[in-house]
Amino acid sequence: MSYKTILVQADLPDTVANGVRLASQLANDNEAHLVGFALSGADQAIAQCNAAVAGMVALPTDMSALTEKADALLAGFAKQAQGNGVSSFETRRIDDTPDYAIVMQARYADLLVMPQGDASGTPSAVLQYVMLHGGKPVLIVPTETKVEQFGKAPLLAWDGGQQAARAINAALPLLKRAGKATLAVFNGTEHYAAHGQQPGADMATYLARQGVQVEVVQKTTKQPIGTALLELAAELNADLLVMGGYGHSRLREIALGGATRDVLKHMNLPVLMTH
């Protein structure tokens, strides 16, 4: 099992170096095809209607200013990917509504690589939407922490649930290359029938059969789980956090679960999430 198509966001100048560097590393390790995408902001609905808002005409020059900027960023991505030794890559400019367009692109990739958010570290609404609706794992790169390499000492959040199981399975190509993974179980006896007799033991056995060296750590905490996970990651010098992304959609409102929200807001290491 390996990643064969990796999709990376390449249109944010302040964060692209981190994301493209890690995506390039993954592409090289997995002999994968790397796709860099840029959001131009030139929504097709505007172009088709020839109006941005009522009474305002969208001229071709208005659209070209947006598309030229995106193309310049993609040229920078291509140069960086080539410099990182990626043998197979391409660029894609997206002229459409960001959240929906990225979700559609995700259908044809094994893994997405996206930045945490803006320069302040605030998780972007687009990232949250893609994580909850994309149907594929997302490797989220921290905004304020420079990451040279990752995946040698992963921390796995395990609560016996479906999302956590999906996240661990999606991370297997990384986990098989790791030195040793730590499987963290917080308050393992709190939820009835979430685990077997020994919380974490069954998942550890599954991972061992996959060739992953793993150690189970059981913790009892009254802290928010997201906070406890990040503190444990710091204590262990973990360089990757793998966890399920929890949340649900209420009409157009995206509501994230507490642990997911806390980790996305305060993360200082790469996080692989699935929903």
Side-chain angles (χ1 to χ4, degrees), residues 111-212:
L111 178 72
L112 281 76
V113 181
M114 295 183 67
Q116 172 192 9
D118 57 28
S120 68
T122 302
S124 72
V126 172
L127 168 63
Q128 296 174 51
Y129 185 92
V130 170
M131 187 193 70
L132 293 177
H133 300 281
K136 295 296 177 71
V138 183
L139 179 66
I140 306 162
V141 182
T143 301
E144 296 185 323
T145 304
K146 185 176 181 180
V147 181
E148 293 293 347
Q149 59 181 356
F150 72 110
K152 300 299 182 184
L155 174 63
L156 319 179
W158 178 238
D159 62 0
Q162 184 182 75
Q163 285 87 352
R166 286 177 177 171
I168 290 173
N169 192 66
L172 280 175
L174 286 165
L175 301 182
K176 290 179 179 181
R177 293 176 177 272
K180 182 179 70 174
T182 301
L183 187 75
V185 181
F186 287 93
N187 305 328
T189 59
E190 191 172 275
H191 299 288
Y192 177 74
H195 302 278
Q197 186 174 1
Q198 185 70 20
D202 291 335
M203 179 52 74
T205 300
Y206 167 77
L207 288 170
R209 289 176 181 148
Q210 294 285 341
V212 179

Side-chain angles (χ1 to χ4, degrees), residues 1 23 100 105 119 133-135 142 177 207 224 263:
M1 179 181 178
Y100 179 75
Q105 294 289 330
H133 300 281
R177 293 176 177 272
L207 288 170
V263 168

